Amino acid sequence: MYLIKGAAVYAPEALGCMDVLIGGGKILKVAEELPAEEAYGVSVMDGSGMILMPGLIDAHVHILGGGGEGGARTRTPEIMLSDIITGGVTTVVGCLGTDGCTRTMTNLLAKAKGLEEEGITTYVYTGSYQVPVRTLTGSIMDDIILLDRVVGTGEIAISDHRSSQPTKEEFAKIVADTRVGGILSAKAGLVNIHMGDGKEKLEFLRYVLEHTQIPPANMLPTHINRSITLMEDGIDYAKTLGGYIDLTTSSDPDFLEPDEVKASTGLKMALDAGVPAEQVTFSSDGQGSLPIFALDGTFLGLGVGKVTSLYREMRDAVLTDGVPLADALKPVTSNPAALLKLPQKGRITENADADLVLADEKTLEIDTVLAKGRLMISEGKVLVKGTFE
């Protein structure tokens, strides 16, 4: 049991200075003043000068690694636990990407189980870029209904030279099957959609909303900030159709493409344009390859995405772009929790999971991370590492 005293709590809404008691992996009490009684095994943490926020949720992580777009030697390695928790992330959703051949659903589920055993909450999407969708059971609905960790489908690639070039009708069928699978299993039924830089932009998502009864909450297009034109189309999609947009944080801010938008800047753009803060999420694309292509599609090179970029862009939104902390936290806490239908995640409230981050109130540097009530990082030092670290 831990009692965090006197921290400025953002739940993600600002609650003021509060005491937070946690035990059994849950938040037990949030109050202005709680007695500090160490005799009963309660460890007291001094939260003065600190901000207490929910553990971050990263809904797009290549936990197995990704890539291979420059040959087998470019397949990125599996992620390690410390690569996740050092960025304050306590919940991830794993996915396959371009490579749905040498990266498989069985491997993805095994890796997710391993990360769960090491201490963080882990879910997965079924499928990869390809259409028809490659699943474990042979059916999107069956995977979602029968496999506990599967919460949706993705990442499905559209408007990209690496996609299977599906039709709008094929795409709508994927979204429909994912939604029904979610309904029957009380899960999110979310389709995570890789957006390329093709001229179609968000036409496929607009088609679904205009020609079916499926609501926008079943689709999350990611990489919206890959270009200013796609960012502007995403803002229009969110404003006019109530859609959700996901900004990718992994790109190195010092080496952005000329037309690319930094995630923190994209959040500011969306909010200034009138997009509700609840309709924007961040994800890292962590451990995925970040390929560079020439205009003719020739592969030039690649980097590796970092989950820690999620926290960096949230912090930059506050310290550089002037976004209020409560609004900057929503895309990495309560918003993905709502879309993924994880009511126990993304908020500081009684009976929620004790996924918490303590950070310096001035610099927002991470001091402490707890995942499901377990102390993972203290005073900036990693206490819990992955099995092979």
Side-chain angles (χ1 to χ4, degrees):
M1 297 181 72
Y2 295 97
L3 176 60
I4 304 170
K5 291 194 65 69
V9 174
Y10 282 77
E13 301 82 10
L15 300 184
C17 286
M18 308 287 282
D19 291 354
V20 178
L21 177 67
I22 67 176
K26 296 288 185 179
I27 297 172
L28 303 178
K29 190 73 174 177
V30 180
E32 291 185 5
E33 186 70 28
L34 292 172
E37 182 55 79
E38 298 184 42
Y40 295 98
V42 178
S43 297
V44 179
M45 296 182 185
D46 182 8
S48 58
M50 299 277 192
I51 287 170
L52 183 65
M53 63 190 80
L56 276 59
I57 301 169
D58 195 338
H60 186 122
V61 183
H62 295 275
I63 57 177
L64 280 179
E69 292 169 341
R73 65 184 177 85
T74 65
R75 295 168 80 251
T76 62
E78 291 188 10
I79 201 165
M80 294 290 188
L81 179 67
S82 65
D83 295 329
I84 298 171
I85 61 174
T86 51
V89 174
T90 55
T91 300
V92 297
V93 184
C95 60
L96 303 177
T98 317
D99 184 1
C101 179
T102 69
R103 312 286 191 179
T104 67
M105 279 301 299
T106 51
N107 288 342
L108 187 67
L109 284 165
K111 178 64 177 180
K113 185 176 181 181
L115 288 172
E116 189 88 28
E117 290 173 357
E118 289 177 341
I120 64 168
T121 303
T122 313
Y123 299 96
V124 301
Y125 301 112
T126 187
S128 58
Y129 271 28
Q130 288 78 35
V131 176
V133 175
R134 297 187 180 188
T135 65
L136 191 62
T137 65
S139 159
I140 288 174
M141 273 195 232
D142 287 356
D143 274 17
I144 295 172
I145 295 168
L146 300 176
L147 304 176
D148 288 347
R149 297 184 195 278
V150 177
V151 293
T153 308
E155 58 177 311
I156 303 296
I158 61 173
S159 193
D160 193 291
H161 64 95
R162 293 163 291 175
S163 80
S164 299
Q165 311 305 323
T167 65
K168 292 177 181 177
E169 292 78 11
E170 288 174 323
F171 177 74
K173 183 67 164 58
I174 291 168
V175 180
D177 286 352
T178 304
R179 173 173 170 76
V180 175
I183 291 172
L184 293 177
S185 60
K187 295 179 183 175
L190 182 66
V191 182
N192 187 276
I193 303 155
H194 166 99
M195 295 301 308
D197 53 8
K199 62 182 180 180
E200 301 89 354
K201 299 184 179 67
L202 290 158
E203 285 181 12
F204 279 48
L205 285 79
R206 287 187 166 89
Y207 175 87
V208 171
L209 296 183
E210 292 169 3
H211 292 85
T212 77
Q213 296 74 44
I214 298 170
N218 286 107
M219 298 183 290
L220 185 61
T222 190
H223 315 320
I224 288 293
N225 54 317
R226 69 161 59 249
S227 71
I228 187 67
T229 53
L230 185 57
M231 185 75 218
E232 290 171 347
D233 194 44
I235 289 172
D236 179 73
Y237 168 76
K239 288 180 62 178
T240 59
L241 295 176
Y244 296 82
I245 54 175
D246 184 65
L247 311 184
T248 302
T249 62
S250 269
S251 297
D252 190 324
D254 295 325
F255 297 97
L256 293 177
E257 294 294 323
D259 200 29
E260 192 173 359
V261 180
K262 196 170 180 289
S264 61
T265 304
L267 174 61
K268 174 70 170 172
M269 287 175 58
L271 295 177
D272 287 349
V275 176
E278 291 73 20
Q279 290 173 226
V280 183
T281 63
F282 283 2
S283 66
S284 70
D285 205 8
Q287 214 63 20
S289 66
L290 303 178
I292 303 168
F293 294 99
L295 293 177
D296 63 359
T298 303
F299 174 78
L300 299 177
L302 81 165
V304 179
K306 299 295 184 184
V307 170
T308 51
S309 65
L310 195 73
Y311 191 86
R312 180 197 70 207
E313 291 300 303
M314 182 281 293
R315 185 183 61 207
D316 286 356
V318 176
L319 300 181
T320 303
D321 295 285
V323 176
L325 179 57
D327 287 340
L329 279 173
K330 288 177 182 178
V332 294
T333 58
S334 57
N335 292 356
L339 279 175
L340 292 167
K341 291 191 177 179
L342 304 175
Q344 76 278 21
K345 300 292 184 182
R347 303 196 67 84
I348 297 178
T349 186
E350 292 175 14
N351 297 317
D353 286 353
D355 297 336
L356 300 166
V357 176
L358 267 174
D360 184 272
E361 65 180 351
K362 294 180 180 178
T363 66
L364 295 183
E365 291 293 328
I366 292 176
D367 177 89
T368 302
V369 177
L370 295 109
K372 294 186 283 189
R374 183 184 183 189
L375 191 61
M376 310 292 276
I377 293 177
S378 180
E379 297 180 345
K381 297 179 181 179
V382 177
L383 303 181
V384 181
K385 292 186 177 181
T387 307
F388 296 103
E389 294 192 71

